[in-house]
Amino acid sequence: MTDLDTFSALLAPEGQELLAALRDHDPADELATATRLRRDHPAPLVSAALGQARLRQRAAAKFGADAARMYFTPNGVEQSTRAPVADHRAARLAALGVRTLADLCCGIGGDALALARAGIRVLAVDRDPLACAAARANAAALGLADRIEVRCADVTETGTAGYDAVFVDPARRTGARGGRIFDPEAYAPPLSWAVGAARSAPYAALKIAPGVPHEALPEDAETEWISDGGDVKEAVVWFGTGRPGARRATLLPSGASLLGAGPPDPAPVGPVGGWLHEPDGAVIRAHLVAEVAEQVGGRLIDPTIAYVTADELVPTPYATAYAVTDVLPFNVKKLRALLREREVGVAVIKKRGSAVEPEELRRKLKLAGPHSCTVFLTRVAGAPAMLLGHPAGAAA
């Protein structure tokens, strides 16, 4: 049986019975479970069902409760968009008036599902037959088959005329181990092709790696960096929003969105004040740290470091604030003595612009005591420094 044959068998009644029996499967009992199930079911089908159960459990972090009803491939779990991010993008497209969309490189259909739920009719295209089979099964499992057409084809040969929008999610991993691709022109298809496809439609969104160099971004598009729960997940190049060259940072789940137009302005630099703001990763990737500094009436502690300091606490959704208690030149012995004197047993160690490894430093500190502290290893005015403090609202 081919992978496609085995997948089709999972959709048949016997396969469905196995998947239902494995809904609450404990991976630690897999050998015993496989032995028991193979008494009544073909071994290849049992293996496929167990594999699908494992994938569903992995996918729960991205798709929540839907994962228990969905179908996945290993690459599909790894490369698919987290549901909150896909929902955010679908909502933006719907707000632009998009009603029909060509989803190119759809994979197992994670984005197509979000788009369909937002009221958009989707043509989902991928050249991988197994991914297409999973996308069809997912549309059916979630009751969206009437809004999603899945087509197995080469996206570079797929016509998109007549659609309101195009969404392209190029493959950014390669090889059996799925190594990341950092050169946008090594994506499959390349970013340049995706940009050309985007420009042929009234609206378009291209999903790319968040570490993309700014110089590789098209000047006639808006680029949005999205974080979810504090982790930067992706960048999206938007066409048709009317904001060429704009940079946006969007933070989920709050939905707070910071927009910067034109080239980034440098932020002022000055001495460390009573508060330190750590900008969200999406803000840093979007080169919007200066905008956050302006919001809080602050300045950078160093021209090359994305820490903003201020004399007063001005809350912002785009950065986490810490009260600063100490600003010292970096010195391990002095830090150890200070933390021991204050009976600090728990230290959250953060670094930016420092070569020191936090875990190695933690071992040297030999912490003990009932109190906690946040330690920033960084540079202040070009010199290695350590800042001590605690999150805003926490006891000193």
Side-chain angles (χ1 to χ4, degrees):
M1 296 178 72
T2 67
D3 287 345
L4 200 55
D5 291 334
T6 304
F7 184 82
S8 297
L10 283 178
L11 302 180
E14 186 176 10
Q16 293 294 293
E17 178 186 339
L18 280 169
L19 289 175
L22 292 168
R23 178 177 289 270
D24 298 318
H25 165 62
D26 183 352
D29 299 330
E30 185 159 310
L31 182 59
T33 301
T35 301
R36 174 174 54 81
L37 292 176
R38 283 170 180 162
R39 295 172 189 153
D40 302 310
H41 303 280
L45 186 59
V46 171
S47 295
L50 284 166
Q52 194 60 227
R54 288 193 300 271
L55 292 174
R56 285 176 168 181
Q57 290 177 352
R58 284 175 54 197
K62 287 188 173 183
F63 292 94
D66 282 343
R69 296 184 289 162
M70 292 174 65
Y71 298 87
F72 300 97
T73 65
N75 284 341
V77 172
E78 189 69 33
Q79 298 185 27
S80 57
T81 306
R82 293 174 67 91
V85 179
D87 291 344
H88 163 73
R89 181 167 42 242
R92 278 201 72 179
L93 286 161
L96 290 169
V98 172
R99 295 295 175 264
T100 61
L101 176 143
D103 177 359
L104 308 180
C105 308
C106 69
I108 55 95
D111 280 284
L113 297 173
L115 292 160
R117 282 174 166 165
I120 298 171
R121 191 169 295 277
V122 183
L123 169 65
V125 185
D126 202 285
R127 66 181 180 183
D128 181 350
L130 186 57
C132 289
R136 288 192 191 94
N138 287 333
L142 299 183
L144 297 167
D146 62 333
R147 304 198 66 82
I148 301 174
E149 175 194 346
V150 180
R151 184 182 301 173
C152 191
D154 186 334
V155 298
T156 64
E157 298 175 359
T158 300
T160 59
Y163 288 90
D164 297 336
V166 168
F167 171 63
V168 189
D169 181 6
R172 294 178 300 283
R173 293 179 181 271
T174 185
R177 297 185 179 181
R180 293 182 185 275
I181 297 174
F182 296 99
D183 178 6
E185 284 308 296
Y187 292 173
L191 180 59
S192 57
W193 179 89
V195 169
R199 288 174 175 154
S200 69
Y203 301 99
L206 313 180
K207 174 182 170 182
I208 58 176
V212 62
H214 279 231
E215 56 269 22
L217 299 171
E219 296 180 355
D220 56 337
E222 169 193 338
T223 305
E224 177 183 31
W225 283 261
I226 303 172
S227 69
D228 185 23
D231 295 327
V232 184
K233 294 301 179 184
E234 63 181 58
V236 186
V237 180
W238 291 92
F239 291 82
T241 65
R243 301 184 187 91
R247 294 159 289 112
R248 182 186 295 273
T250 298
L251 283 55
L252 302 177
S254 71
S257 196
L258 182 63
L259 183 67
D265 295 322
V269 181
V272 178
W275 295 90
L276 188 74
H277 294 269
E278 181 182 26
D280 184 272
V283 170
I284 296 172
R285 293 285 192 181
H287 294 180
L288 293 172
V289 175
E291 282 75 0
V292 171
E294 183 178 2
Q295 280 189 0
V296 303
R299 55 206 175 263
L300 299 180
I301 64 172
D302 184 278
T304 64
I305 303 295
Y307 282 140
V308 175
T309 187
D311 300 318
E312 304 291 337
L313 175 60
V314 179
T316 172
Y318 305 109
T320 303
Y322 297 84
V324 177
T325 58
D326 302 87
V327 182
L328 302 165
F330 178 74
N331 185 293
V332 176
K333 290 184 179 179
K334 184 175 291 188
L335 179 61
R336 182 170 56 236
L338 188 59
L339 296 182
R340 183 175 299 171
E341 176 187 332
R342 295 178 182 177
E343 298 182 306
V344 172
V346 177
V348 177
I349 302 175
K350 296 174 171 285
K351 59 175 273 185
R352 186 164 291 162
S354 171
V356 178
E357 291 300 328
E359 289 309 313
E360 180 181 347
L361 175 62
R362 194 186 309 279
R363 287 193 295 270
K364 293 179 179 178
L365 293 177
K366 300 177 182 178
L367 301 170
H371 303 303
S372 62
C373 177
T374 303
V375 179
F376 295 89
L377 307 176
T378 185
R379 292 196 305 272
V380 174
M386 50 190 188
L387 280 58
L388 279 61
H390 54 83

